[in-house]
Structures are given as C-alpha cells and as structure tokens.
Amino acid sequence: KSEELISAWQMKTMPDLISRDSVSIPDMVEMGMLAPLSKLFPDDIAAMKGRWLEPCWNLCNYKGVQYGIPTYVDIAPMLAYNRKMFAEAGLLVPTNWAQVIEAAKKLNTTDHYGIIFPATLGLNDLEIFIGIAYGNGGRFLSPEGDEVVFNGKGFVDALKLYIDLFKKYKVTPPGILEIDYMKTIELFLRERTAMALGMSWVPVIAQNLGVPEGFEYRMASFPMKEKPTGKYPPAAAIMDATTTYMMISTSKVKKEAWEFIKWVTRPESMRMWAGVRIQGRVPTTHEGFKTPELAKTYPDLVREYEKGTIFKGAISMPSFPGFTEMIKVFGHAFQAALLGKPVQKALDEAAEECQDILEEM
C-alpha cells in the first residue's frame, strides 16, 4: 500500500482523501502529502475534538498539527486462547513469559500446536512482535528520536522468546515465516492451535471467517516477561489508528472533502466501529464505548473505560519519518534470526542500516 501511494503521489494521481493507518502520518507529512486539518479547519477541529479519547486523537497528531481523524484503534499484543483446551489441561491464562512457554508445551499434542504467532514480513505480523518487545522495555528509537535502539535487550529477549517457542520447544507450526496474521487466526479457529498471537482485531477476523459452532475462545493481553529486561518503561500495549481519514494536500476541493470526513466520522457513522455492525474494533470516541454491542465483545475494555483507566500505559506503535523503510530492514533481520542467525548480530546489523536511513531523513 505504501508503495502504491508513493507512486500515485509522484505521478500526481492522488485522490482527495485516503483512509490509512496513523503510523504512516509522519512519513506522508514529510513528503508534503497530507493537508494540515487543524490549520485549515481550526474551529471544526476544536469543536469535535472532545468526542475522542485523547490518546486516540493524538495518534493522528504530528508536531502539534492534526492530520487525520481516527475511527478505531488496533491494540497489540493480544493472546487468543481456546477455553476448552485450557480447561481440559487445567490451565489458567498465562501471566508471564515462563507461563506462556509451559502452557504451550502442555497444550502441544499430535492434534494441535501449543501456540502460533505470525512471522511474515507483513506490517501486522511485525507490529505484534514489536508490541511484545515494547512490553519488555524495548523501543525502536531512543526517546530523543536520534538513535535506532531495537538491538537492545528489550527486543533481543523478545525475539529469543519467539525462537524458543519455534525451534527449542517446537510448539508452533514449522512454517510460521509463511503464516501471516489472517492465516494464524484461521488455524486458531480450526482448532489447529491452542493459543494465537494477534491484535484486538481477532474478533473481526473471526466474524469474517465464521466461528465454528461450539467453539469458545477468549482474549487477554499478552503477558510481560517476569522481569522486563529493556532499558525503557514497559508499555502496556501499542496502538495504531488503522482506518484514519486524511486529506491530500493537492486536493482542489478541500472544503467538500472536509465535509465528507465530518460526515463519515459523525456519531451515527462511528457506531459501526463500536460493534454495531463490525465486531473486533476498539472505538476511539466516548460514544463508541457506550454501545451494548461493544460491551459483549470487549467487556474488560468497557470496564476500564468506565474506571477511566482505558489505554493506561499504552503508547503509539512506532511512528516517525523513515519507519516505512526501516520496518522492511527490521523484518528481514527478524526472519533471519528465526532461521538461525544469532539474534544480537541480526539486530545489530539491521540497526546500523536503519541508523543510516534515520540520518538521511
């Protein structure tokens, strides 16, 4: 998608509006691609801002300027687990990495794998892993934004966890490097695995694929390591506003385009992202957390919202100029380590290459 957008921008064939993930905003702004909504329509932005939860609204803000209006957020990392398999094995939901390993070993049988995680070069797959690394005190960039640091202990130990599950304990399918997030959830729904890593979008995939009759599953936040080893504060989760409406800077009909954005993000339209028509999306507005449909899909999140603790400790998924290029480099290092290359060496080399990209930006 990123390559298609860049090509369209270079060929001057862009539409007036796009729907894109919020982590793409910095790259697109630096290319001159996006219109600054809060500068063009300050009164409207000020009037509507209060409908959104502040952490969600801020995902679309870059250098103090609002460039997009979010509809829902995806949250990572999440663990989906088969309730029947857990009950039969006498297991509780894991609360740390050691318990994840032990549960996966106990649940690994000739009929199904203990756990599965997606490990292709796709952005969703990599962001799930990054969420685990951030929970272990890792970061992609330093807080100052001038140094690539994903070769630190937070990422290294998270990648070793993946490798242990994959190669040491052999509790995952053998072909995970070719299994993306959609196939991961499909295998989980077919009861080919007892646990699956994903994001908060698992219910929407289950809705699209169809949940087998009698199949019961639950979702929980993927647990942190017993003692996080990274140097930064462990993140409770990472978020991305995956369907965010943005205006292209070259639009000749900015006023009309803005009226459409306001219409498509009005309360009546936003209800569909709150479980009314589409399950498995975490809303970004206050009214979204008040629908009875959402309470059925995400009862824990609704309780957190009511207590005022929703998104506490959660931060944005990596979002900065150059990320689109860097994630490709990181992805190849991620897969190389899963295939046997020493983890530290793989991440050191990738970090050095990404540092060059960062400095060029």
Side-chain angles (χ1 to χ4, degrees), residues 4-21:
E4 292 174 1
L5 277 175
I6 292 172
S7 295
W9 175 250
Q10 292 172 339
M11 295 176 66
K12 299 182 179 181
T13 57
M14 290 290 282
D16 297 294
L17 298 171
I18 59 172
S19 170
R20 194 81 169 94
D21 54 275

Side-chain angles (χ1 to χ4, degrees), residues 93-159:
V93 181
T95 58
N96 56 49
W97 288 7
Q99 291 179 10
V100 169
I101 292 172
E102 290 308 309
K105 288 163 62 178
K106 191 169 184 177
L107 292 164
N108 199 59
T109 71
T110 55
D111 295 324
H112 51 73
Y113 296 100
I115 193 169
I116 186 173
F117 52 83
T120 73
L121 297 176
L123 182 60
N124 269 278
D125 299 4
L126 296 174
E127 285 182 331
I128 292 166
F129 169 77
I130 289 171
I132 296 173
Y134 270 43
N136 192 41
R139 291 294 185 274
F140 211 95
L141 292 187
S142 64
E144 297 77 19
D146 60 354
E147 183 182 1
V148 176
V149 295
F150 63 63
N151 55 335
K153 285 283 287 181
F155 270 71
V156 168
D157 288 343
L159 190 43

Side-chain angles (χ1 to χ4, degrees), residues 14-287:
M14 290 290 282
D16 297 294
L17 298 171
I18 59 172
S19 170
R20 194 81 169 94
D21 54 275
S22 59
V23 300
S24 302
I25 288 176
D27 267 330
M28 291 191 289
V29 170
E30 295 300 331
M31 291 176 63
M33 193 182 294
L34 298 183
L37 300 180
S38 54
K39 291 183 177 181
L40 293 173
F41 311 102
D43 293 341
D44 283 347
I45 289 289
M48 66 195 298
K49 181 180 178 180
R51 286 179 46 217
W52 274 261
L53 281 79
E54 187 174 0
C56 301
W57 181 264
N58 289 343
L59 291 172
C60 305
N61 192 287
Y62 180 58
K63 294 183 177 179
V65 179
Q66 196 73 13
Y67 286 96
I69 307 298
T71 55
Y72 63 85
V73 291
D74 287 330
I75 302 172
M78 301 293 288
L79 179 71
Y81 62 95
N82 185 305
R83 292 189 70 191
K84 180 181 177 182
M85 292 181 188
F86 264 66
E88 290 176 347
L91 290 169
L92 299 176
V93 181
T95 58
N96 56 49
W97 288 7
Q99 291 179 10
V100 169
I101 292 172
E102 290 308 309
K105 288 163 62 178
K106 191 169 184 177
L107 292 164
N108 199 59
T109 71
T110 55
D111 295 324
H112 51 73
Y113 296 100
I115 193 169
I116 186 173
F117 52 83
T120 73
L121 297 176
L123 182 60
N124 269 278
D125 299 4
L126 296 174
E127 285 182 331
I128 292 166
F129 169 77
I130 289 171
I132 296 173
Y134 270 43
N136 192 41
R139 291 294 185 274
F140 211 95
L141 292 187
S142 64
E144 297 77 19
D146 60 354
E147 183 182 1
V148 176
V149 295
F150 63 63
N151 55 335
K153 285 283 287 181
F155 270 71
V156 168
D157 288 343
L159 190 43
K160 286 180 178 178
L161 171 66
Y162 266 36
I163 293 168
D164 283 348
L165 292 169
F166 175 44
K167 303 192 79 172
K168 181 178 180 179
Y169 301 112
K170 294 180 171 57
V171 291
T172 72
I176 55 169
L177 274 71
E178 298 176 355
I179 298 175
D180 67 3
Y181 70 98
M182 286 288 289
K183 188 65 175 179
T184 291
I185 304 307
E186 180 183 347
L187 291 171
F188 174 70
L189 294 175
R190 289 170 54 191
E191 299 191 84
R192 296 292 296 127
T193 179
M195 295 182 285
L197 272 64
M199 295 192 198
S200 51
W201 37 241
V202 169
V204 76
I205 296 178
Q207 181 184 27
N208 291 338
L209 295 177
V211 178
E213 186 176 351
F215 180 80
E216 288 190 51
Y217 76 96
R218 289 291 184 273
M219 293 178 61
S221 296
F222 190 84
M224 296 181 186
K225 187 174 172 61
E226 300 79 354
K227 292 183 179 180
T229 54
K231 65 183 292 185
Y232 303 102
I238 57 175
M239 306 188 299
D240 180 17
T242 319
T243 295
T244 294
Y245 290 100
M246 310 170 196
M247 186 184 302
I248 300 304
S249 60
T250 53
S251 172
K252 304 297 184 184
V253 288
K254 288 186 174 66
K255 183 178 179 180
E256 291 81 359
W258 175 239
E259 288 301 316
F260 176 81
I261 291 179
K262 288 197 297 181
W263 177 81
V264 81
T265 58
R266 74 196 197 283
E268 298 91 330
S269 298
M270 294 285 278
R271 280 175 56 82
M272 73 174 182
W273 301 114
V276 175
R277 293 187 62 185
I278 302 172
Q279 297 177 6
R281 296 304 191 188
V282 178
T284 55
T285 60
H286 290 283
E287 69 258 17

